[in-house]
Amino acid sequence: MRRIILMGVAVSLCLATAHVAPALGAATPKRTPRSIPKVAVPPTATSGTSATPSSPGAAKPATGVPPAAPVRDVVDTHWGVQVHDPYRYMENLKDPHVQAWIKGQADHANATLARVPGRDELFERIRELDTARPFRILGIRRMPDGRLFYLRLNAEDNLARLCTRQGFDGTERVLVDPATIPAPVDGHWSISFYRPSPDGRTMLYGLALSGSEEDRLHAFDIASGKPLPDSIDRMEDGYTDPMWLADSRGFYYSRRVKLPAGAPATEVYKNSVAYLHRLGTDRDQDRPAFGRNLWPNVAMSDVDFPSIVLTPGSSYAVGKIKHGDSNPLTLYAAPLGGDGDLTKREATASPWTMICDVADSVTDFAVHGDQIFLMTALGAQQFKVVRTSLSHPSFAGAALVLPAGDGVVDNVATAHDALYVSVHRGAASQIVRIGYDPGAPIEPLAPPDQFPSTRIISAEADVDGVVASAVGWTRASRSFAYDVATKSFVDTRLSPTGKFDNPPDLVATEVEVRSHDGTMVPLSIIHRRDLKLDGSNPTLVTGYGSYGDTRSVNFSPTLVAWFERGGVYAVAHVRGGGEKGEAWHRDGQKLKKPNTWKDFIACAEYMVKQGYTTRERLAGQGGSAGGITIGRAVTDRPDLFAAALFDVGSLDCIRAETTTNGVPNIQEFGTVTKEDEFRGLLEMSTYHHVKDGEKYPAIMLSAGMNDPRVDPWESAKTCARLQAATASGKPVLFRVQYNAGHGIGSTRAQQIQLIADRYAFLLWQMGLLKPLP
């Protein structure tokens, strides 16, 4: 299961390369069982040249016109409301006619963008900016013996490789380099997760092909590099890595059920099970440990996702149940015997005792010995942290560890020495340390080197301190380790400063904007210090607003290419996100979803009213679930924007429920099977709000054909509808990547090409680049 998430236009290439927990940024954050790629790559599809298939949607070379899509209207009636769907047939991505139409659109977009004057210069500048830092480290794990494991992306690398060293200053050794692993033509492998065994001898890691996020687990001996026979497909690692037993001879993992050929896509995430695997044994003989109908006192629906979490130094396992993509968890505790085997059964006895349920609003947890720390919104919209025993868990009797305050509790993590908690105020985070002794003081940790935002990126229950990422809106991130002895952060020297990581001429401003109902919405604005508020500046406003996820402080050097051209970059912290706590999330969910795009519109209007820009030079962007935000902002206020970017967007909310990832997302967005939620889905569906004859801004939709989170036909259908409806004469382009997915697992080259195309498209449409020849 995967949330439909995407970082903004300045997406970090680190995040695009791997999604190793703890994540270095936004979440995380679904998979598909379909073959890779989901749609066959037509001849020359990656080159940008046009094929000439004989279907009605075929593109013809050099016409300068995208292929038209036939209208074959399907009308569904939901709760007495007729819903028209003129391009329903595009949902069959295996249809040769649909493939030809998409291919024609992709060729047209590629050819158009290639002709934009200055596009190649933008690409070269963005590549220079992105590769100026010698290397980037992400996904750090520390071992009690001082060893480090991490992913490293060198300046010359296209994909991150798995490495190790002894201490922060040790000699590096490469363990896995996905660039050396044979892949299909134009495809690539990326490392999706890794987990060293407690004894440091064996490594588990996952590989996914071409952005598909379809992970297969592999194992090898760390000392020799020799591969082990253990290999497991249908992995479900998105919310929990494989968890090693204390003896390093086996591990728990979660796996999707094997479906028969032709099974509906909506069945993919149902009835997942957590298994125990012993090294060297047949994976298909692994016994289930936690899942539906396994234990009499553990209730679980078919769409719940179970996993088992083990923590070094604890003699208890935590059984975690994720209810689709909703935040509240159900947790159970079970004592681990000498061999850690939770698959053994004696009559109907269950080892599991409930810790908390959905009504307790627990969204994160961490274990230390016999204690579990729970982050909960129950009676605390900003969240609080409580503690209870794993031997006799009682949420009702849990002790208060960190009360709710003016900041929003973001996540909890346990190290050997203390509990560490991230707390954010607006988009900026701070780390708080709390010792394990009862009554231990709450110690806010001063951010290193005057960075405005610090967050935990690595915490190990058997290692003192944490590793933190420090970042600003105008400064790229660096990693620091908290030294318990000196009570200070020290530079890990794992994130050298690149030439463009700290531009001296940029400033960031935080304001609040009054929305349609009087609610004050945070808005972060970044630009050059010498900017003049004369309305002449190209401005890009981006927003997300789902799952309670916060658009945290972040900076990518690739943004310098935008600022160099006088650009303004603004992040709208709209409702549906988590910037102001759980109430902020709920106020942008289901029937209250209109607040999300209305907040975005208010922020965009503010940029015009304050003289940053004019409507002729204003653009909006949203990706994934943020496709709802930008899509409905544009369809509500097409007059407000010169251009817009719809990136792998959730755009057809009525039909999304029929997809693999639509089922888990019902909790966040709603279902057509309930009348009120159907009406909410219809209101938030961009595809169904496109009007014939409306003058829409220039729009570029992007999609990856291996996307497991948002099916690419949502973008295809919306593109066809916009092209047929718009009366503005402005382009509607459909940019397609055949060997990519939702962005996670994309190569560096793919990311740089995408950013260059985005900037070129926007500047062209704002009249800041010459017209096409």
Side-chain angles (χ1 to χ4, degrees), residues 381-429:
Q381 290 299 310
Q382 306 287 82
F383 292 92
K384 62 185 177 183
V385 180
V386 298
R387 179 184 65 230
T388 188
S389 166
L390 288 169
S391 58
H392 297 89
S394 170
F395 182 81
L400 183 63
V401 176
L402 179 65
D406 59 346
V408 180
V409 178
D410 216 11
N411 71 288
V412 294
T414 48
H416 183 259
D417 61 295
L419 173 74
Y420 291 83
V421 183
S422 288
V423 180
H424 72 256
R425 291 169 179 81
S429 296

Side-chain angles (χ1 to χ4, degrees), residues 69-367:
V71 172
R72 302 170 189 163
D73 197 23
V74 175
V75 181
D76 293 328
T77 301
H78 298 280
W79 304 100
V81 178
Q82 287 192 334
V83 180
H84 290 263
D85 191 347
Y87 303 105
R88 173 75 61 84
Y89 63 90
M90 287 189 182
E91 294 177 15
N92 181 8
L93 292 171
K94 294 182 180 179
D95 184 327
H97 291 179
V98 175
Q99 290 188 5
W101 182 84
I102 292 175
K103 173 64 169 58
Q105 290 285 338
D107 287 347
H108 171 72
N110 289 344
T112 300
L113 293 166
R115 293 170 59 216
V116 174
R119 188 270 175 196
D120 290 345
E121 290 81 356
L122 270 168
F123 171 79
E124 291 300 331
R125 179 56 171 163
I126 291 166
R127 180 165 59 182
E128 178 186 19
L129 294 166
D130 186 68
T131 58
R133 179 180 282 195
F135 60 87
R136 297 174 184 171
I137 299 295
L138 55 150
I140 299 170
R141 292 193 187 279
R142 297 171 299 153
M143 303 293 285
D145 64 3
R147 272 188 296 175
L148 300 179
F149 295 95
Y150 51 89
L151 295 176
R152 174 169 174 146
L153 183 70
N154 291 329
E156 67 275 10
D157 287 343
N158 212 17
L159 293 160
R161 57 187 77 178
L162 176 59
C163 302
T164 186
R165 66 170 67 179
Q166 185 68 38
F168 291 118
D169 297 315
T171 301
E172 183 174 270
R173 175 186 167 208
V174 177
L175 298 175
V176 180
D177 184 354
T180 65
I181 301 173
V185 175
D186 294 322
H188 64 276
W189 295 100
S190 59
I191 299 171
S192 49
F193 65 86
Y194 75 90
R195 173 75 73 169
S197 61
D199 63 10
R201 295 181 178 181
T202 309
M203 178 67 74
L204 306 176
Y205 70 102
L207 288 176
L209 181 62
S210 298
S212 67
E213 300 180 59
E214 288 189 28
D215 298 339
R216 177 182 286 270
L217 178 145
H218 300 273
F220 65 89
D221 178 82
I222 293 174
S224 66
K226 180 180 178 180
L228 299 175
D230 307 85
S231 179
I232 301 174
D233 60 1
R234 304 195 310 275
M235 284 291 298
E236 194 61 73
D237 72 285
Y239 297 107
T240 300
D241 282 357
M243 290 285 166
W244 283 100
L245 298 175
D247 63 6
S248 298
R249 296 180 181 179
F251 55 88
Y252 288 100
Y253 67 97
S254 296
R255 194 183 192 196
R256 296 189 304 273
V257 68
K258 185 175 183 179
L259 295 174
T266 52
E267 298 298 304
V268 173
Y269 290 137
K270 293 182 178 179
N271 298 307
S272 294
V273 176
Y275 295 91
L276 173 63
H277 178 76
R278 299 282 185 180
L279 289 178
T281 63
D282 182 356
R283 69 187 180 197
D284 292 324
Q285 299 303 312
D286 290 347
R287 292 186 297 179
F290 195 60
R292 191 180 181 212
N293 298 326
L294 285 181
W295 303 103
N297 66 328
V298 178
M300 205 177 299
S301 75
D302 60 348
V303 296
D304 287 340
F305 174 66
S307 59
I308 290 177
V309 178
L310 303 182
T311 303
S314 178
S315 57
Y316 288 85
V318 174
K320 181 174 77 170
I321 303 175
K322 189 90 169 69
H323 303 283
D325 284 312
S326 64
N327 293 333
L329 303 170
T330 298
L331 302 176
Y332 289 82
L336 292 167
D339 60 0
D341 191 340
L342 293 168
T343 68
K344 297 176 181 177
R345 288 171 173 76
E346 297 178 4
T348 58
S350 170
W352 299 101
T353 302
M354 180 178 283
I355 301 169
C356 60
D357 208 350
V358 172
D360 300 316
S361 296
V362 171
T363 60
D364 195 17
F365 68 95
V367 171

Side-chain angles (χ1 to χ4, degrees), residues 545-565:
S546 288
Y547 306 109
D549 289 344
T550 298
R551 290 297 304 273
S552 301
V553 173
N554 194 31
F555 175 76
S556 169
T558 58
L559 273 169
V560 171
W562 182 253
F563 296 130
E564 287 174 337
R565 286 154 179 81

